[in-house]
Amino acid sequence: MHEIEITPTSVLLDGQLIATTETGDKMLVELYRRFADDYPKFFKMDTLCRLGFIAAEILLKEPTANGQQPTAVILANRSASIKNDTDYLATISEGNYYPSPSLFVYTLPNIVTGEIAIRHHIQGETSFYILDNPEQLEQIINSQFSILNSQFSIILAGWCECSKPNEFYAKMQIIYGTTD
């Protein structure tokens, strides 16, 4: 299995620590500069999007089976896009009604799956579920595995959570299907 786990203080790729000098949001920028320094839109993204984007970038740096890119992205979390929703709400407070279009874009959690799909030219399924815990996502994938396995050659799946500034967690993996 090929997987990545990112917390505000560490990054594990297939169980091996990736050394970083920063923590929190600054660590995501450090990882971006090291692994994907050619996508300037990164700096417009909210933390949830940055987290998912970086996790996918690092995970997909290594060639997948037969050199193919994923054909589906399935992510989930518990808090949807609450951190960015809160930031957006602050721009429309009473007496200071200036809604921010740049924040509004990220008030949907599925934007992270779209950013990953755009970056990696994934034209298949992209889904983002709001669930109580990562085990529920595993249950969905396991219960639908035969269908997913026959429809998609490679699936990028995992948990991508960011509910407060500098509090985030991502665990993603590559799942290989059997389509040709």
Side-chain angles (χ1 to χ4, degrees), residues 43-99:
F43 293 102
K44 293 181 180 181
M45 294 178 187
D46 72 323
T47 305
L48 179 65
C49 240
R50 286 181 179 193
L51 176 63
F53 182 88
I54 288 300
E57 281 299 299
I58 296 171
L59 194 58
L60 297 173
K61 277 292 182 196
E62 307 239 346
T64 56
N66 301 323
Q68 295 178 317
Q69 287 292 331
T71 55
V73 180
I74 303 172
L75 299 179
N77 75 17
R78 177 178 314 130
S79 64
S81 55
I82 192 67
K83 181 205 170 289
N84 201 62
D85 296 347
T86 304
D87 293 345
Y88 178 73
L89 183 60
T91 70
I92 56 174
S93 61
E94 190 174 328
N96 187 25
Y97 187 80
Y98 295 103

Side-chain angles (χ1 to χ4, degrees), residues 1-6 11-14 18 35 52-64 69-70 75 120 155-158 171-176:
M1 178 173 24
H2 189 44
E3 71 178 12
I4 188 164
E5 185 172 6
I6 300 176
V11 181
L12 293 174
L13 179 61
D14 298 327
I18 295 177
F35 292 98
F53 182 88
I54 288 300
E57 281 299 299
I58 296 171
L59 194 58
L60 297 173
K61 277 292 182 196
E62 307 239 346
T64 56
Q69 287 292 331
L75 299 179
H120 294 281
I155 302 166
L156 174 63
K171 186 170 185 178
M172 292 186 198
Q173 64 181 328
I174 300 289
I175 301 169
Y176 296 100

Side-chain angles (χ1 to χ4, degrees), residues 59-170:
L59 194 58
L60 297 173
K61 277 292 182 196
E62 307 239 346
T64 56
N66 301 323
Q68 295 178 317
Q69 287 292 331
T71 55
V73 180
I74 303 172
L75 299 179
N77 75 17
R78 177 178 314 130
S79 64
S81 55
I82 192 67
K83 181 205 170 289
N84 201 62
D85 296 347
T86 304
D87 293 345
Y88 178 73
L89 183 60
T91 70
I92 56 174
S93 61
E94 190 174 328
N96 187 25
Y97 187 80
Y98 295 103
S100 170
S102 64
L103 291 176
F104 178 74
V105 170
Y106 296 100
T107 59
L108 296 172
N110 66 324
I111 297 300
V112 65
T113 61
E115 291 287 1
I116 293 168
I118 290 167
R119 170 68 169 179
H120 294 281
H121 309 288
I122 299 168
Q123 297 177 0
E125 181 73 29
T126 62
S127 298
F128 198 104
Y129 295 97
I130 310 305
L131 304 170
D132 287 330
N133 57 59
E135 291 76 28
Q136 287 180 309
L137 179 61
E138 272 185 47
Q139 290 171 355
I140 290 170
I141 290 171
N142 290 337
S143 70
Q144 299 295 313
F145 186 75
S146 61
I147 295 168
L148 295 169
N149 192 31
S150 66
Q151 290 181 351
F152 305 109
S153 59
I154 301 173
I155 302 166
L156 174 63
W159 192 260
C160 190
E161 178 76 58
C162 177
S163 57
K164 297 179 183 174
N166 289 309
E167 290 184 24
F168 50 78
Y169 177 76

